[in-house]
Amino acid sequence: QKEVEQNSGPLSVPEGAIASLNCTYSDRGSQSFFWYRQYSGKSPELIMFIYSNGDKEDGRFTAQLNKASQYVSLLIRDSQPSDSATYLCAVNGRDKIIFGKGTRLHILP
Amino acid sequence: KAGVTQTPRYLIKTRGQQVTLSCSPISGHRSVSWYQQTPGQGLQFLFEYFSETQRNKGNFPGRFSGRQFSNSRSEMNVSTLELGDSALYLCASSSLPSGRSQETQYFGPGTRLLVL
């Protein structure tokens, strides 16, 4: 079982709609979770982090964490063409941060 | 506060050569992690240094090595380069080591290495 799994996509979402990105992880002891956005040819940029079960909102972004199900998600409301990128889920494990391979998101104008 | 810086940004080498990449973390950050990113494999962890000590190492051959200096700057070295080493090499810094802390890693712009 992969430590952090994401659907590779591409996920195509119409402009103005909600984009939903999902991530599962295997280490039940993980306590902190991150979402990074990576544009093509650029380095990852942190957009959200979440430590507690439930929802955390920041502008158009909402991170959701369910530790019992070992599941973390990112919702992007009112999707814009500038949101087109690869989104990396990262989990702070026992001694290192583990990244998923990322989901490519494409916002359709 | 200045971000993470990496030098050089681009590098072309030939097989068999060696290369040294440099990373300067955010001021005050003592942890530096290195990653290799390729289209097929995603972000793969190379190693992490904290206060000049290697804390953790990923599953890479011994040709990949690193070190950290007392000012927290870090270098990674790849010897006997192979074609498959062509990748984007990223470093990330944080104030505390990775693990069960709530520390966040911030990435530098990366060094794109092409091995011919």
Side-chain angles (χ1 to χ4, degrees):
Chain A
Q1 183 187 7
K2 294 180 183 175
E3 292 174 287
V4 178
E5 288 204 59
Q6 296 181 253
N7 189 319
S8 62
L11 174 66
S12 295
V13 173
E15 184 175 354
I18 295 175
S20 178
L21 305 164
N22 304 314
C23 171
T24 58
Y25 60 94
S26 59
D27 182 359
R28 283 197 170 276
S30 300
Q31 295 185 6
S32 48
F33 308 85
F34 309 90
W35 284 98
Y36 287 83
R37 176 177 62 200
Q38 187 174 25
Y39 292 115
S40 180
K42 302 294 185 183
S43 62
E45 171 195 11
L46 179 71
I47 53 172
M48 288 287 289
F49 58 86
I50 186 166
Y51 309 137
S52 306
N53 274 330
D55 295 359
K56 178 183 179 183
E57 188 174 317
D58 184 1
R60 297 186 296 112
F61 299 97
T62 299
Q64 299 175 316
L65 175 61
N66 184 326
K67 289 186 179 180
S69 300
Q70 295 174 247
Y71 177 92
V72 58
S73 65
L74 178 71
L75 301 178
I76 306 175
R77 290 182 301 282
D78 188 24
S79 296
Q80 303 296 310
S82 61
D83 294 327
S84 296
T86 295
Y87 289 80
L88 303 172
C89 170
V91 176
N92 208 348
R94 296 180 189 277
D95 53 10
K96 62 180 182 286
I97 293 180
I98 303 165
F99 286 82
K101 290 194 174 182
T103 298
R104 282 184 297 138
L105 175 64
H106 182 211
I107 305 301
L108 303 169
Chain B
K1 203 181 252 191
V4 180
T5 59
Q6 290 186 247
T7 57
R9 294 292 310 278
Y10 304 93
L11 207 48
I12 300 175
K13 292 286 189 179
T14 56
R15 277 184 301 173
Q17 287 187 308
Q18 76 165 20
V19 66
T20 299
L21 312 181
S22 180
C23 172
S24 292
I26 291 170
S27 177
H29 284 190
R30 293 160 59 195
S31 173
V32 174
S33 296
W34 287 91
Y35 297 88
Q36 181 195 66
Q37 188 175 39
T38 57
Q41 297 299 318
L43 260 178
Q44 294 194 287
F45 173 75
L46 281 156
F47 27 66
E48 179 186 12
Y49 286 88
F50 181 78
S51 294
E52 301 179 67
T53 301
Q54 187 180 87
R55 287 190 70 247
N56 204 353
K57 191 177 191 306
N59 189 24
F60 278 82
R63 301 185 296 108
F64 292 82
S65 62
R67 58 178 176 167
Q68 187 179 34
F69 302 95
S70 58
N71 62 358
S72 296
R73 190 178 69 86
S74 177
E75 289 182 345
M76 68 162 280
N77 185 76
V78 188
S79 62
T80 319
L81 284 165
E82 300 177 359
L83 295 179
D85 296 333
S86 295
L88 178 66
Y89 290 87
L90 292 159
C91 85
S93 80
S94 60
S95 55
L96 293 175
S98 304
R100 298 195 185 278
S101 69
Q102 297 179 345
E103 271 302 302
T104 305
Q105 287 190 341
Y106 296 92
F107 283 88
T111 294
R112 191 165 294 280
L113 172 65
L114 177 61
V115 182
L116 302 175

